[in-house]
Amino acid sequence: MRRLSLLLALTLPGVLAADEPCTSLEQAAFMLGAWQSETQGTRFMERWRRDEGQFRGTAEALRDGERIQLEVMTLRVGDGKLVYGADPEQDGSFEDFTGVRCAAGEAVFENPEHDFPQRLHYHLDDSGVLTAVVSDLEDQGFELEFQPDS
């Protein structure tokens, strides 16, 4: 019996956190809200909200109180898959990244045809930190750790 309990304890967490197809906005609901990160004198903020059947977001970078970057983002379901759209020029031409892996508190989006980034990986840990990894398909890129913005 002891061996069975150990086996269940080792395998159950993996079962509970199993990957699922990315098909629903609710799989990315952990991203909703306002988030902030401070890295090397630059403040990064992401804000996500529900809006008419999709999630809308903005990503902003500030240095010395001046905006140095602003990007508009969407999360929507298209062709039965979760799609992350990024519009860094704010001109309505979104670059789409398809959800390739979803689990509790985690979503990974990819676009192998894009120059950089090719992968966006969001993960919310148990302490409430939202990590965003922005990379190519070889995992070369950068990571931001966001705290809830109060």
Side-chain angles (χ1 to χ4, degrees):
M1 183 69 171
R2 185 178 226 193
R3 183 179 288 172
L4 179 59
S5 297
L6 179 60
L7 181 62
L8 283 174
L10 293 174
T11 59
L12 192 55
V15 170
L16 293 176
D19 293 347
E20 300 175 14
C22 298
T23 58
S24 163
L25 282 172
E26 292 313 307
Q27 291 173 293
F30 67 91
M31 295 167 56
L32 291 170
W35 304 91
Q36 67 175 336
S37 178
E38 186 89 27
T39 304
Q40 298 177 352
T42 302
R43 183 173 182 220
F44 297 92
M45 295 172 291
E46 275 200 21
R47 293 178 183 90
W48 289 95
R49 63 182 172 79
R50 293 179 192 269
D51 184 35
E52 298 182 17
Q54 65 180 344
F55 296 168
R56 290 197 173 273
T58 57
E60 187 174 11
L62 301 170
R63 186 175 298 133
D64 298 325
E66 302 266 336
R67 180 186 296 155
I68 58 173
Q69 182 180 356
L70 177 65
E71 182 170 327
V72 176
M73 299 145 343
T74 62
L75 276 171
R76 66 190 187 287
V77 176
D79 295 327
K81 294 194 176 206
L82 193 56
V83 178
Y84 181 114
D87 181 8
E89 304 299 321
Q90 305 133 58
D91 62 2
S93 58
F94 286 83
E95 189 69 41
D96 287 343
F97 296 78
T98 302
V100 296
R101 189 172 75 237
C102 288
E106 181 177 28
V108 180
F109 306 90
E110 291 183 355
N111 179 344
E113 305 301 317
H114 193 250
D115 53 0
F116 185 87
Q118 294 173 314
R119 179 179 294 137
L120 305 166
H121 181 179
Y122 284 84
H123 177 260
L124 181 65
D125 70 19
D126 292 337
S127 69
V129 173
L130 179 68
T131 302
V133 180
V134 179
S135 69
D136 60 18
L137 296 179
E138 305 296 318
D139 294 323
Q140 300 299 308
F142 62 92
E143 177 179 304
L144 294 170
E145 289 189 355
F146 290 100
Q147 302 289 333
D149 189 8
S150 45

